[in-house]
Amino acid sequence: MTAFVGAVKVNSVSSSGVFHIGDAYYLQPISSAKTYAGGGSFNTGDGIRVQLGQSDTIVYDQDQID
């Protein structure tokens, strides 16, 4: 059944959100990101000390081009 919608005010929609008015069969927010980091990455806190002799990040990229 068709929906009748009156006035709509949208203040904000997040980057991974969906805003839709009306009939819909399927809605899905889609987002993707690649993050590569070696050993000792993403550490948070006070007084962190990381000692690495050698660090390799091996990445398999299926399409080779982004």
Side-chain angles (χ1 to χ4, degrees):
M1 183 172 174
T2 304
F4 294 97
V5 179
V8 175
K9 179 182 178 184
V10 178
N11 291 325
S12 68
V13 177
S14 69
S15 62
S16 62
V18 171
F19 176 76
H20 182 79
I21 296 177
D23 300 332
Y25 173 72
Y26 183 75
L27 295 175
Q28 178 181 358
I30 297 174
S31 65
S32 62
K34 287 186 178 183
T35 303
Y36 306 122
S41 299
F42 303 115
N43 291 323
T44 58
D46 296 330
I48 292 176
R49 189 167 82 177
V50 177
Q51 297 177 352
L52 298 172
Q54 182 177 359
S55 175
D56 292 333
T57 302
I58 306 205
V59 177
Y60 174 71
D61 190 1
Q62 207 168 20
D63 61 3
Q64 302 293 323
I65 298 172
D66 293 321

